[in-house]
Amino acid sequence: MEKKIVSILGYNLLSPTIHFLYLYSRILDDPKALVVAEFLADVVLFDINSLKFRPSLLCSVYLFYGYLVLNIAPE
């Protein structure tokens, strides 16, 4: 019933990706890259086209770009 109501109202529900981001951030210990990755995750979360990718893949890309923006090589 909830799915029916949501579709009638026309809401587009996006899959959460921030959970994987925190799992990966435990492995790669750099708080600055995590802040950039969280920002990217918040921005991309509103894009409906990102639903075709798995959340784990998106989070790894967020962390990669976080390191790339800060010009830091992950260990």
Side-chain angles (χ1 to χ4, degrees), residues 10-58:
Y11 289 124
N12 292 325
L13 300 178
L14 304 176
S15 63
T17 58
I18 205 74
H19 174 71
F20 287 105
L21 187 62
Y22 291 125
L23 290 176
Y24 291 158
S25 69
R26 290 183 192 168
I27 298 168
L28 304 171
D29 189 30
D30 191 355
K32 293 178 192 175
L34 181 61
V35 170
V36 175
E38 285 177 345
F39 174 74
L40 288 172
D42 287 340
V43 170
V44 176
L45 191 61
F46 294 110
D47 185 19
I48 194 76
N49 295 324
S50 67
L51 289 177
K52 59 185 169 186
F53 301 108
R54 291 180 298 176
S56 58
L57 177 66
L58 288 174

